[in-house]
């Protein structure tokens, strides 16, 4: 928008019908901004939807008339790249969180599965089934524990069968 400091529109982009009309058609609160038109300044529109930039232009040989160049930029156009970047980053973050949760679920399964096998075997032994074996192949402490458990149940089975033979012999 190009207008005089007294409030007459000189040119409005894509609206030639507004030439020689009052600036208050574009700037509803022109009376509030008029005292500041002697210098460049920036402000938000009263509704907060637009960034308004004003810059005086001297058009005479030192005369009193000054024109003012006014830019009106929709705030959403200014923030659009930041909004797009924020949405992209949020989507990437959500994707990484989902991948991390899947990884943790698989990792937890690797830790819990051998313990479940050992628990089931211990339960079976406590119910009198001395033939059960804990089959754990995890290449870590859980496998060592399973092998010790299997050795213990095997030794207990041998001890009980020997004890039964001794009782039967007496």
């Amino acid at each position: 928008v190009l207008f005089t400091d007294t409030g007459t529109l000189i040119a409005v982009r894509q609206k030639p019908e507004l030439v020689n009309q009052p600036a208050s058609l574009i700037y509803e609160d022109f009376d509030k901004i008029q005292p500041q038109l002697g210098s460049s300044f920036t402000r938000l529109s009263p509704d907060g939807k637009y960034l308004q930039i004003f810059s005086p232009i001297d058009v005479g040989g030192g005369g009193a008339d000054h024109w003012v160049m006014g830019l009106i930029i929709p705030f959403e156009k200014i923030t659009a790249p930041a909004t797009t970047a924020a949405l992209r980053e949020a989507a990437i973050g959500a994707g990484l969180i989902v991948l991390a949760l899947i990884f943790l679920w698989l990792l937890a399964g690797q830790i819990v599965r051998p313990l479940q096998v050992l628990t089931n075997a211990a339960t079976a032994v406590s119910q009198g089934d001395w033939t059960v074996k804990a089959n754990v192949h995890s290449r870590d402490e859980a496998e060592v524990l399973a092998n010790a458990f299997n050795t213990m149940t095997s030794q207990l089975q041998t001890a009980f069968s020997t004890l039964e033979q001794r009782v039967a012999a007496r």
Side-chain angles (χ1 to χ4, degrees):
V1 178
L2 187 62
F3 58 95
T4 66
D5 59 355
T6 58
T8 303
L9 294 173
I10 298 169
V12 179
R13 182 174 182 244
Q14 297 179 349
K15 293 185 180 180
E17 68 275 5
L18 293 179
V19 172
N20 290 326
Q21 299 295 319
S24 59
L25 291 175
I26 302 289
Y27 304 106
E28 295 175 6
D29 59 343
F30 183 78
D31 55 331
K32 291 181 182 176
I33 62 174
Q34 189 174 15
Q36 299 174 332
L37 294 177
S39 62
S40 296
F41 68 97
T42 303
R43 72 173 198 146
L44 284 177
S45 64
D47 62 3
K49 294 182 179 179
Y50 301 95
L51 178 66
Q52 297 175 339
I53 304 168
F54 301 94
S55 181
I57 302 170
D58 190 11
V59 290
D65 287 336
H66 292 282
W67 289 0
V68 178
M69 171 66 76
L71 296 175
I72 303 172
I73 305 168
F75 207 69
E76 63 188 30
K77 291 212 183 246
I78 296 170
T79 59
T83 302
T84 302
L87 290 173
R88 184 179 335 110
E89 289 171 10
I92 290 170
L96 289 174
I97 288 171
V98 167
L99 288 175
L101 289 174
I102 290 171
F103 174 74
L104 288 174
W105 181 72
L106 292 173
L107 183 63
Q110 291 296 320
I111 294 169
V112 171
R113 201 170 300 115
L115 296 176
Q116 287 175 334
V117 169
L118 282 166
T119 301
N120 293 340
T123 302
V125 168
S126 71
Q127 293 173 354
D129 184 2
W130 297 99
T131 61
V132 70
K133 296 288 181 197
N135 292 320
V136 175
H137 305 288
S138 61
R139 298 187 187 107
D140 61 5
E141 292 82 4
E143 186 174 357
V144 172
L145 181 60
N147 290 337
F149 179 83
N150 290 337
T151 302
M152 179 189 71
T153 55
S154 176
Q155 289 174 351
L156 285 173
Q157 184 180 14
T158 303
F160 277 121
S161 67
T162 304
L163 183 61
E164 286 176 358
Q165 290 172 359
R166 286 183 188 170
V167 168
R170 283 191 187 172

